[in-house]
């Protein structure tokens, strides 16, 4: 009994200190944001334990905690309807705020490591975006890996944009005022879909207007090198899993993600905008490789690998100081600016990854929502 009591007490003290160190000390996030983060971490720990005991699969253990987000309520002044497009293969949620003051359209790609979340889980967040931007907004419920690996999620976002532009009159929007927006892996999809749209303006004999602007919220932008500043001393296990599930539909690339020797040469952005003094060690590229495996060097997978982003629209990028992927956001901003693209780059030093969920309860998230809404409006005038 004494031993059990001692072990239990030690565990609780360690857990309390870990949570305090991670979420409370020097943290300026709201209590709802902290509470959600703590609960998600605790449930994730339980799910990982169940995965270790083979009660659930790896994908199930990644997805299960995030159903808590369904408890977040949508904005009361935004209506919505669920639609199916492209022969009922793509599900979308169409949001209409009570007050619409701009005839543009936001197409939103949700985050969650490509694998975890659904559009329904972002119901509250996207409704707040529609309300604050006072625009019709579409949330794309793209099909997720590993069941549907690349390029399916990207093409679902791309086809949604094309569908909206073809149906602009019915939707009551201006087809030339489309903004692509996304967070985390959704920021990756939004940026990649913007590149794809630029390269694919004529489809099935239809000509489409270019994307007007893109808004990227702590986006995942590369898998070239995880041995750089903001990646150092971070646990990248899940990130490598997400990348592998997205590209291959399994974990076969988990040990290759972020390994620069898997690439045939050095990407243009790396030798142009990256401060190589922060990379941890010099690059030794395996030039014997004739091609990289499973799209690791594909700019439609990782937008930082786009060698010529000069034709891209004005871009808003939000980075988080605490994020492993923080440097990617800054590198993309610098790479776009280097190629003549208008960029507004902002960085939040106190919030954790995923904080933009809580527009309705978190003052920090709402402040950045107003900021990106202002950027969007100014680019649509």
């Amino acid at each position: 009994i004494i031993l059990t009591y001692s072990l239990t007490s030690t565990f609780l003290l360690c857990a309390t200190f870990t949570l305090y160190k991670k979420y409370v000390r020097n943290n300026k996030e709201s209590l709802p944001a902290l509470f959600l983060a703590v609960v998600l971490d605790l449930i994730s720990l339980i799910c990982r334990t169940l995965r270790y005991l083979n009660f659930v699969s790896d994908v199930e253990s990644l997805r299960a905690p995030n159903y808590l987000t369904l408890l977040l309520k949508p904005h009361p002044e935004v209506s919505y309807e669920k639609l199916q497009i492209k022969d009922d293969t793509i599900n979308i949620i169409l949001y209409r705020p009570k007050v619409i003051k701009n005839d543009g359209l936001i197409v939103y790609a949700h985050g969650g490591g490509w694998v975890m979340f659904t559009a329904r889980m972002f119901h509250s967040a996207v409704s707040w975006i529609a309300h604050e931007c006072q625009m019709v907004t579409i949330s794309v419920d793209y099909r997720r890996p590993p069941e549907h690996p690349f390029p399916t999620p990207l093409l679902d976002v791309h086809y949604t944009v094309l569908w909206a532009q073809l149906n602009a009159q019915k939707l009551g929007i201006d087809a030339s005022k489309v903004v692509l927006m996304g967070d985390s892996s959704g920021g990756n999809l939004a940026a990649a879909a913007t590149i794809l749209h630029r390269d694919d303006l004529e489809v099935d004999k239809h000509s489409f207007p270019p994307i007007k602007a893109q808004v990227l919220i702590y986006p995942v932008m590369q898998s070239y090198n995880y041995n750089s500043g903001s990646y150092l001393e971070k646990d990248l296990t899940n990130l490598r899993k997400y990348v592998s599930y997205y590209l291959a539909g399994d974990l076969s690339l988990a040990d290759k993600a972020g390994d620069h020797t898997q690439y045939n040469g050095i990407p243009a952005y790396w030798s142009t905008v990256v401060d190589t003094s922060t990379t941890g060690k010099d690059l030794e590229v395996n030039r014997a490789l004739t091609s990289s495996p499973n799209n690791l060097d594909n700019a439609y997978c990782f937008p930082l690998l786009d060698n010529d982003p000069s034709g891209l629209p004005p871009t808003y990028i939000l980075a988080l100081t605490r994020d492993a992927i923080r440097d990617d956001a800054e590198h993309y901003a610098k790479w776009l600016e280097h190629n003549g693209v208008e960029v507004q780059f902002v960085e939040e030093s106190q919030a954790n990854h995923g904080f933009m969920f809580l527009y309705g309860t978190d003052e920090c998230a709402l402040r950045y929502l107003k900021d990106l809404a202002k950027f969007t409006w100014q680019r649509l005038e």
Side-chain angles (χ1 to χ4, degrees):
I1 295 175
I2 295 175
L3 179 60
T4 301
Y5 178 80
S6 299
L7 291 174
T8 303
S9 300
T10 302
F11 172 79
L12 291 175
L13 285 172
C14 291
T16 301
F17 176 75
T18 300
L19 292 174
Y20 170 79
K21 182 179 179 182
K22 182 175 182 180
Y23 293 113
V24 180
R25 188 177 65 182
N26 300 323
N27 200 317
K28 296 182 180 180
E29 287 188 284
S30 67
L31 286 178
L34 291 174
F35 176 77
L36 182 62
V38 170
V39 172
L40 285 174
D41 257 17
L42 290 175
I43 296 178
S44 295
L45 176 61
I46 295 172
C47 289
R48 288 196 297 271
T49 303
L50 293 174
R51 169 69 184 94
Y52 178 77
L53 297 173
N54 291 321
F55 286 115
V56 297
S57 69
D58 184 59
V59 173
E60 288 170 334
S61 71
L62 291 172
R63 289 176 176 171
N66 303 297
Y67 285 96
L68 276 177
T69 59
L70 296 175
L71 300 175
L72 301 174
K73 295 181 179 180
H75 195 283
E77 295 185 3
V78 177
S79 62
Y80 67 94
E81 61 177 317
K82 298 178 181 179
L83 301 173
Q84 291 183 312
I85 62 174
K86 201 175 184 297
D87 300 323
D88 296 337
T89 59
I90 303 174
N91 296 312
I92 65 172
I93 304 177
L94 179 67
Y95 295 87
R96 290 188 181 276
K98 185 176 182 180
V99 177
I100 297 178
K101 292 187 177 180
N102 194 301
D103 60 354
L105 172 73
I106 295 171
V107 175
Y108 195 90
H110 64 79
W114 300 282
V115 177
M116 296 187 294
F117 289 115
T118 66
R120 180 66 184 85
M121 295 175 183
F122 271 72
H123 189 38
S124 173
V126 179
S127 71
W128 274 87
I129 290 171
H131 170 75
E132 197 63 38
C133 294
Q134 298 180 317
M135 292 168 56
V136 175
T137 301
I138 292 176
S139 181
V140 186
D141 197 14
Y142 56 84
R143 289 166 288 180
R144 298 177 293 173
E147 298 88 348
H148 302 281
F150 177 86
T152 299
L154 172 61
L155 292 179
D156 284 357
V157 176
H158 179 54
Y159 288 140
T160 299
V161 173
L162 300 183
W163 174 84
Q165 290 184 316
L166 284 173
N167 292 275
Q169 186 173 2
K170 179 180 178 181
L171 294 172
I173 62 142
D174 185 337
S176 68
K177 294 183 178 180
V178 175
V179 177
L180 269 163
M181 187 181 298
D183 69 287
S184 192
S185 58
N188 166 282
L189 292 173
T194 301
I195 295 172
L196 181 56
H197 196 82
R198 176 200 64 187
D199 299 343
D200 200 22
L201 288 178
E202 187 168 323
V203 183
D204 295 334
K205 299 182 180 179
H206 290 284
S207 294
F208 294 89
I211 299 300
K212 196 71 172 179
Q214 59 177 339
V215 176
L216 312 177
I217 302 167
Y218 34 82
V220 181
M221 303 305 285
Q222 60 95 17
S223 182
Y224 170 62
N225 184 11
Y226 291 165
N227 191 45
S228 60
S230 62
Y231 282 103
L232 298 176
E233 300 181 3
K234 298 288 198 308
D235 182 1
L236 304 178
T237 303
N238 280 345
L239 177 60
R240 295 179 191 276
K241 282 185 180 182
Y242 301 150
V243 169
S244 188
Y245 278 135
Y246 178 45
L247 298 187
D250 55 36
L251 292 175
S252 61
L253 293 179
D255 61 340
K256 296 181 175 65
D259 179 4
H260 62 272
T261 64
Q262 299 296 319
Y263 289 74
N264 183 29
I266 300 176
Y269 88 90
W270 184 270
S271 55
T272 305
V273 301
V274 176
D275 178 4
T276 55
S277 66
T278 69
T279 60
K281 64 179 180 180
D282 293 334
L283 298 180
E284 296 178 358
V285 178
N286 181 2
R287 297 187 181 277
L289 279 173
T290 56
S291 62
S292 299
N294 286 280
N295 295 301
L296 278 171
D297 62 352
N298 188 332
Y300 295 135
C301 292
F302 299 110
L304 255 172
L305 303 182
D306 182 16
N307 287 329
D308 183 14
S310 57
L312 294 178
T315 302
Y316 178 101
I317 300 177
L318 169 60
L320 301 179
T321 303
R322 299 175 175 181
D323 234 346
I325 57 176
R326 179 259 172 215
D327 286 1
D328 293 354
E330 182 181 34
H331 293 159
Y332 197 54
K334 290 181 177 180
W335 184 227
L336 293 179
E337 288 179 332
H338 177 80
N339 286 273
V341 177
E342 177 192 351
V343 178
Q344 181 174 330
F345 176 80
V346 294
E347 182 172 354
E348 166 57 37
S349 62
Q350 297 298 325
N352 290 311
H353 193 90
F355 85 105
M356 293 290 273
F357 259 127
L358 302 169
Y359 296 122
T361 57
D362 187 89
E363 292 183 4
C364 182
L366 187 57
R367 183 172 72 251
Y368 283 107
L369 174 56
K370 291 180 180 294
D371 192 44
L372 66 85
K374 180 181 178 181
F375 170 88
T376 301
W377 268 71
Q378 290 174 343
R379 300 321 176 276
L380 297 182
E381 290 179 348

